[in-house]
Protein backbone atom coordinates (compact mmCIF):
# COMPACT_ATOMS: atom_id res chain seq x y z
CA UNK A 1 0.00 0.00 0.00
CA UNK A 2 1.17 3.54 -0.66
CA UNK A 3 0.40 6.67 -2.65
CA UNK A 4 0.66 6.62 -6.46
CA UNK A 5 4.27 6.52 -7.60
CA UNK A 6 5.67 5.77 -4.14
CA UNK A 7 7.21 2.58 -5.51
CA UNK A 8 4.68 -0.13 -4.56
CA UNK A 9 4.99 -1.96 -7.86
CA UNK A 10 8.80 -1.81 -7.83
CA UNK A 11 8.92 -3.27 -4.31
CA UNK A 12 6.23 -5.86 -5.02
CA UNK A 13 8.21 -7.16 -8.01
CA UNK A 14 11.40 -7.35 -5.90
CA UNK A 15 9.52 -9.27 -3.19
CA UNK A 16 8.15 -11.64 -5.82
CA UNK A 17 11.66 -12.38 -7.12
CA UNK A 18 13.30 -12.62 -3.69
CA UNK A 19 10.71 -14.96 -2.15
CA UNK A 20 9.71 -16.66 -5.43
CA UNK A 21 6.05 -15.90 -5.12
CA UNK A 22 3.63 -14.49 -7.69
CA UNK A 23 2.94 -10.75 -7.74
CA UNK A 24 -0.73 -9.92 -8.10
CA UNK A 25 -1.10 -6.27 -9.05
CA UNK A 26 -4.64 -4.88 -9.12
CA UNK A 27 -3.69 -2.06 -11.50
CA UNK A 28 -2.01 -4.48 -13.96
CA UNK A 29 -5.03 -6.82 -13.94
CA UNK A 30 -7.34 -3.88 -14.62
CA UNK A 31 -5.12 -2.60 -17.45
CA UNK A 32 -5.18 -6.13 -18.89
CA UNK A 33 -9.00 -6.11 -18.82
CA UNK A 34 -8.95 -2.71 -20.56
CA UNK A 35 -6.58 -4.03 -23.24
CA UNK A 36 -8.77 -7.10 -23.82
CA UNK A 37 -11.77 -4.85 -24.42
CA UNK A 38 -14.08 -6.67 -21.97
CA UNK A 39 -17.19 -4.93 -20.61
CA UNK A 40 -15.53 -4.73 -17.20
CA UNK A 41 -12.44 -3.31 -18.88
CA UNK A 42 -14.50 -0.53 -20.45
CA UNK A 43 -16.00 0.40 -17.08
CA UNK A 44 -12.56 0.21 -15.42
CA UNK A 45 -10.98 2.48 -18.03
CA UNK A 46 -13.50 5.24 -17.41
CA UNK A 47 -12.55 5.32 -13.72
CA UNK A 48 -8.81 4.82 -14.19
CA UNK A 49 -8.43 7.59 -16.75
CA UNK A 50 -9.98 10.00 -14.20
CA UNK A 51 -7.77 8.71 -11.38
CA UNK A 52 -10.79 7.32 -9.44
CA UNK A 53 -10.98 3.90 -7.80
CA UNK A 54 -12.63 1.28 -10.01
CA UNK A 55 -15.88 -0.03 -8.38
CA UNK A 56 -15.19 -2.54 -5.60
CA UNK A 57 -17.29 -5.33 -7.15
CA UNK A 58 -15.09 -5.44 -10.25
CA UNK A 59 -11.75 -5.32 -8.42
CA UNK A 60 -12.81 -7.86 -5.80
CA UNK A 61 -14.07 -10.28 -8.44
CA UNK A 62 -10.87 -10.05 -10.51
CA UNK A 63 -8.62 -10.40 -7.47
CA UNK A 64 -10.58 -13.32 -6.01
CA UNK A 65 -10.42 -15.16 -9.33
CA UNK A 66 -6.65 -14.62 -9.56
CA UNK A 67 -6.09 -15.73 -5.96
CA UNK A 68 -7.90 -19.01 -6.64
CA UNK A 69 -5.13 -20.11 -9.07
CA UNK A 70 -2.82 -22.87 -7.78
CA UNK A 71 0.40 -20.80 -8.03
CA UNK A 72 -0.71 -18.80 -4.97
CA UNK A 73 -0.59 -21.85 -2.68
CA UNK A 74 2.88 -21.03 -1.30
CA UNK A 75 2.19 -17.36 -0.84
CA UNK A 76 1.79 -14.24 -2.95
CA UNK A 77 2.28 -10.51 -2.83
CA UNK A 78 -0.66 -8.22 -3.50
CA UNK A 79 0.14 -4.83 -5.02
CA UNK A 80 -2.56 -2.17 -4.76
CA UNK A 81 -5.25 -4.26 -3.07
CA UNK A 82 -7.09 -3.58 -0.79
CA UNK A 83 -7.75 0.12 -1.39
CA UNK A 84 -11.10 0.55 0.35
CA UNK A 85 -12.75 -0.79 3.47
CA UNK A 86 -14.99 -3.07 1.39
CA UNK A 87 -11.93 -4.54 -0.32
CA UNK A 88 -10.19 -5.07 3.05
CA UNK A 89 -13.23 -6.96 4.35
CA UNK A 90 -13.37 -8.98 1.12
CA UNK A 91 -9.69 -9.87 1.46
CA UNK A 92 -10.32 -11.23 4.96
CA UNK A 93 -13.10 -13.41 3.55
CA UNK A 94 -10.98 -14.66 0.61
CA UNK A 95 -7.99 -15.49 2.83
CA UNK A 96 -10.21 -17.33 5.31
CA UNK A 97 -11.73 -19.37 2.49
CA UNK A 98 -8.22 -20.33 1.33
CA UNK A 99 -6.96 -21.06 4.85
CA UNK A 100 -4.37 -18.34 4.44
CA UNK A 101 -3.34 -15.43 6.64
CA UNK A 102 -1.99 -12.01 5.89
CA UNK A 103 1.60 -11.83 7.19
CA UNK A 104 2.40 -8.18 6.63
CA UNK A 105 0.99 -5.05 5.12
CA UNK A 106 3.88 -2.97 3.81
CA UNK A 107 3.10 0.69 3.39
CA UNK A 108 5.38 2.86 1.34
CA UNK A 109 5.82 6.49 2.27
CA UNK A 110 7.18 9.14 -0.10
CA UNK A 111 7.18 12.93 -0.40
CA UNK A 112 4.90 14.48 -3.06
CA UNK A 113 7.96 15.94 -4.88
CA UNK A 114 9.51 12.48 -5.16
CA UNK A 115 6.25 11.13 -6.57
CA UNK A 116 5.84 13.76 -9.29
CA UNK A 117 9.49 13.30 -10.34
CA UNK A 118 9.04 9.56 -10.54
CA UNK A 119 5.79 9.36 -12.42
CA UNK A 120 6.76 11.87 -15.08
CA UNK A 121 9.87 9.79 -15.85
CA UNK A 122 8.18 6.39 -15.50
CA UNK A 123 7.73 4.26 -18.58
CA UNK A 124 5.65 1.07 -18.41
CA UNK A 125 5.35 -2.00 -20.58
CA UNK A 126 1.69 -2.59 -21.50
CA UNK A 127 2.52 -6.20 -22.47
CA UNK A 128 4.15 -7.57 -19.30
CA UNK A 129 3.71 -4.78 -16.70
CA UNK A 130 7.47 -4.12 -16.24
CA UNK A 131 8.23 -0.61 -15.00
CA UNK A 132 11.25 1.62 -15.71
CA UNK A 133 12.45 5.06 -14.70
CA UNK A 134 14.20 7.01 -17.44
CA UNK A 135 16.93 8.26 -15.08
CA UNK A 136 17.17 5.71 -12.24
CA UNK A 137 16.10 2.38 -13.81
CA UNK A 138 16.36 2.86 -17.59
CA UNK A 139 15.75 -0.01 -20.01
CA UNK A 140 18.84 -1.34 -21.80
CA UNK A 141 17.48 -0.15 -25.14
CA UNK A 142 15.54 3.13 -25.23
CA UNK A 143 11.76 2.59 -25.47
CA UNK A 144 12.00 -1.22 -25.40
CA UNK A 145 11.10 -3.52 -22.49
CA UNK A 146 14.07 -5.62 -21.24
CA UNK A 147 11.74 -8.43 -20.15
CA UNK A 148 9.56 -8.98 -23.25
CA UNK A 149 10.66 -6.57 -25.99
CA UNK A 150 7.35 -4.61 -25.78
CA UNK A 151 7.15 -0.87 -26.61
CA UNK A 152 7.32 1.25 -23.45
CA UNK A 153 4.63 3.88 -22.88
CA UNK A 154 3.75 6.77 -20.57
CA UNK A 155 0.52 5.68 -18.81
CA UNK A 156 -2.53 7.81 -19.62
CA UNK A 157 -3.11 8.49 -15.90
CA UNK A 158 0.49 9.72 -15.43
CA UNK A 159 -0.30 13.34 -16.26
CA UNK A 160 0.05 15.94 -13.54
CA UNK A 161 -3.65 16.73 -12.96
CA UNK A 162 -4.63 13.07 -12.72
CA UNK A 163 -1.60 12.21 -10.54
CA UNK A 164 -2.75 14.91 -8.10
CA UNK A 165 -6.26 13.47 -8.08
CA UNK A 166 -4.98 9.89 -7.54
CA UNK A 167 -3.07 11.23 -4.55
CA UNK A 168 -6.27 12.77 -3.07
CA UNK A 169 -8.19 9.54 -3.68
CA UNK A 170 -5.43 7.62 -1.86
CA UNK A 171 -5.57 9.97 1.14
CA UNK A 172 -9.37 9.88 1.37
CA UNK A 173 -10.26 6.31 0.49
CA UNK A 174 -7.19 4.12 1.02
CA UNK A 175 -5.08 5.66 3.79
CA UNK A 176 -7.84 5.21 6.42
CA UNK A 177 -7.73 1.40 6.08
CA UNK A 178 -4.12 1.40 7.30
CA UNK A 179 -5.42 1.78 10.87
CA UNK A 180 -7.15 -1.56 10.57
CA UNK A 181 -3.80 -3.29 10.02
CA UNK A 182 -1.91 -1.13 12.53
CA UNK A 183 -4.39 -2.17 15.21
CA UNK A 184 -3.35 -5.83 14.82
CA UNK A 185 0.38 -5.08 14.42
CA UNK A 186 0.56 -6.15 10.76
CA UNK A 187 1.40 -2.79 9.17
CA UNK A 188 5.11 -2.08 8.57
CA UNK A 189 6.47 1.09 7.00
CA UNK A 190 9.05 1.03 4.21
CA UNK A 191 10.54 4.24 2.91
CA UNK A 192 9.82 5.19 -0.67
CA UNK A 193 12.89 7.45 -0.66
CA UNK A 194 15.48 4.65 -0.62
CA UNK A 195 17.81 4.11 -3.58
CA UNK A 196 16.91 1.09 -5.67
CA UNK A 197 19.89 -0.95 -4.36
CA UNK A 198 18.89 -0.28 -0.72
CA UNK A 199 15.40 -1.75 -1.15
CA UNK A 200 16.15 -5.52 -0.96
CA UNK A 201 17.94 -5.04 2.40
CA UNK A 202 15.03 -3.00 3.77
CA UNK A 203 12.59 -5.69 2.63
CA UNK A 204 14.66 -8.44 4.29
CA UNK A 205 14.73 -6.49 7.55
CA UNK A 206 10.94 -6.55 7.61
CA UNK A 207 10.05 -9.89 6.01
CA UNK A 208 13.12 -11.93 6.95
CA UNK A 209 15.70 -13.67 4.77
CA UNK A 210 14.29 -15.59 1.81
CA UNK A 211 14.62 -19.35 2.20
CA UNK A 212 17.30 -20.92 0.01
CA UNK A 213 15.68 -23.90 -1.73
P1 LIG B 1 -1.94 1.33 -10.01
O1 LIG B 1 -1.46 0.79 -11.29
O2 LIG B 1 -1.86 0.46 -8.82
O3 LIG B 1 -1.30 2.75 -9.79
P2 LIG B 1 -0.94 3.59 -8.46
O4 LIG B 1 -1.43 3.06 -7.18
O5 LIG B 1 -1.36 4.97 -8.78
O6 LIG B 1 0.54 3.36 -8.34
P3 LIG B 1 1.56 3.46 -9.46
O7 LIG B 1 1.56 2.25 -10.31
O8 LIG B 1 1.39 4.78 -10.18
O9 LIG B 1 2.91 3.60 -8.68
P4 LIG B 1 3.72 2.61 -7.74
O10 LIG B 1 3.56 3.03 -6.32
O11 LIG B 1 3.46 1.18 -8.07
O12 LIG B 1 5.18 3.03 -8.17
P5 LIG B 1 6.21 2.30 -9.14
O13 LIG B 1 6.86 1.15 -8.45
O14 LIG B 1 5.64 2.11 -10.50
O15 LIG B 1 -3.49 1.74 -10.18
C1 LIG B 1 -3.89 2.52 -11.29
C2 LIG B 1 -5.38 2.76 -11.23
O16 LIG B 1 -6.09 1.49 -11.26
C3 LIG B 1 -5.90 3.45 -9.96
O17 LIG B 1 -5.80 4.85 -10.05
C4 LIG B 1 -7.37 2.94 -9.94
O18 LIG B 1 -8.14 3.63 -10.88
C5 LIG B 1 -7.24 1.50 -10.41
N1 LIG B 1 -7.04 0.55 -9.30
C6 LIG B 1 -5.91 -0.19 -9.03
N2 LIG B 1 -6.11 -0.96 -7.93
C7 LIG B 1 -7.38 -0.71 -7.51
C8 LIG B 1 -8.17 -1.17 -6.41
N3 LIG B 1 -7.68 -2.06 -5.53
N4 LIG B 1 -9.43 -0.70 -6.29
C9 LIG B 1 -9.95 0.18 -7.18
N5 LIG B 1 -9.25 0.67 -8.23
C10 LIG B 1 -7.99 0.24 -8.39
O19 LIG B 1 7.33 3.47 -9.19
C11 LIG B 1 7.09 4.70 -9.85
C12 LIG B 1 8.34 5.09 -10.65
O20 LIG B 1 9.42 5.35 -9.76
C13 LIG B 1 8.84 4.02 -11.60
O21 LIG B 1 9.32 4.65 -12.75
C14 LIG B 1 9.99 3.34 -10.85
O22 LIG B 1 10.93 2.81 -11.74
C15 LIG B 1 10.54 4.49 -10.03
N6 LIG B 1 11.07 4.10 -8.75
C16 LIG B 1 10.45 3.32 -7.82
N7 LIG B 1 11.21 3.20 -6.72
C17 LIG B 1 12.33 3.95 -6.97
C18 LIG B 1 13.50 4.25 -6.22
N8 LIG B 1 13.69 3.77 -4.99
N9 LIG B 1 14.43 5.06 -6.75
C19 LIG B 1 14.25 5.55 -8.00
N10 LIG B 1 13.19 5.29 -8.79
C20 LIG B 1 12.24 4.51 -8.26
Amino acid sequence: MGPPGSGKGTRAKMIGKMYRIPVIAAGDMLREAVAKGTDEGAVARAYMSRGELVPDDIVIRITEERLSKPDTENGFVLDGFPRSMRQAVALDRILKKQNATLDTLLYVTAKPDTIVGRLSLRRSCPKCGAVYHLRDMPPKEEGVCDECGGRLILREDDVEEIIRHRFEVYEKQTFPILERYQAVGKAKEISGELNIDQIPGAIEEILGKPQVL
Side-chain angles (χ1 to χ4, degrees):
M1 180 174 152
S6 54
K8 297 181 294 296
T10 302
R11 282 153 183 74
K13 287 183 183 91
M14 284 183 183
I15 292 170
K17 276 195 185 137
M18 288 166 69
Y19 298 88
R20 300 184 195 183
I21 51 175
V23 179
I24 297 168
D28 287 350
M29 292 191 293
L30 291 167
R31 279 183 288 276
E32 223 177 278
V34 172
K36 278 189 191 148
T38 61
D39 289 347
E40 271 182 356
V43 175
R45 183 175 182 189
Y47 286 86
M48 293 168 86
S49 61
R50 295 196 302 264
E52 301 283 345
L53 290 187
V54 171
D56 286 331
D57 290 340
I58 295 181
V59 186
I60 292 169
R61 196 201 60 71
I62 292 177
T63 308
E64 184 162 12
E65 187 183 304
R66 177 64 187 87
L67 287 177
S68 69
K69 303 236 162 95
D71 66 338
T72 60
E73 273 169 14
N74 294 323
F76 52 86
V77 52
L78 277 173
D79 167 12
F81 184 95
R83 285 196 207 215
S84 67
M85 196 52 85
R86 255 194 80 198
Q87 293 179 23
V89 171
L91 180 61
D92 286 349
R93 173 184 59 74
I94 298 166
L95 293 177
K96 198 167 167 202
K97 197 169 91 186
Q98 302 195 347
N99 252 337
T101 47
L102 178 92
D103 295 320
T104 307
L105 177 130
L106 280 178
Y107 66 101
V108 193
T109 48
K111 295 185 209 130
D113 284 356
T114 309
I115 288 170
V116 173
R118 285 203 181 145
L119 292 184
S120 55
L121 292 179
R122 171 166 67 181
R123 294 296 179 271
S124 314
C125 177
K127 252 169 97 184
C128 73
V131 167
Y132 300 87
H133 185 271
L134 292 184
R135 192 193 55 218
D136 298 332
M137 280 172 47
K140 289 186 192 115
E141 188 185 335
E142 201 186 317
V144 179
C145 178
D146 294 350
E147 310 280 333
C148 75
R151 282 263 138 224
L152 301 180
I153 57 152
L154 177 69
R155 262 169 47 180
E156 74 172 345
D157 57 348
D158 278 349
V159 291
E160 201 178 328
E161 197 191 324
I162 307 292
I163 296 171
R164 235 182 286 125
H165 188 58
R166 280 158 61 202
F167 200 86
E168 285 165 12
V169 167
Y170 172 77
E171 303 246 285
K172 273 201 204 119
Q173 294 178 253
T174 305
F175 187 73
I177 67 171
L178 183 57
E179 270 183 11
R180 199 171 184 269
Y181 297 96
Q182 282 171 327
V184 291
K186 302 242 172 178
K188 302 274 159 61
E189 181 178 345
I190 182 163
S191 170
E193 308 283 340
L194 301 173
N195 292 328
I196 292 286
D197 54 0
Q198 295 175 306
I199 301 174
I203 290 171
E204 266 191 32
E205 260 179 44
I206 299 171
L207 299 181
K209 281 212 172 299
Q211 280 179 349
V212 183
L213 298 175

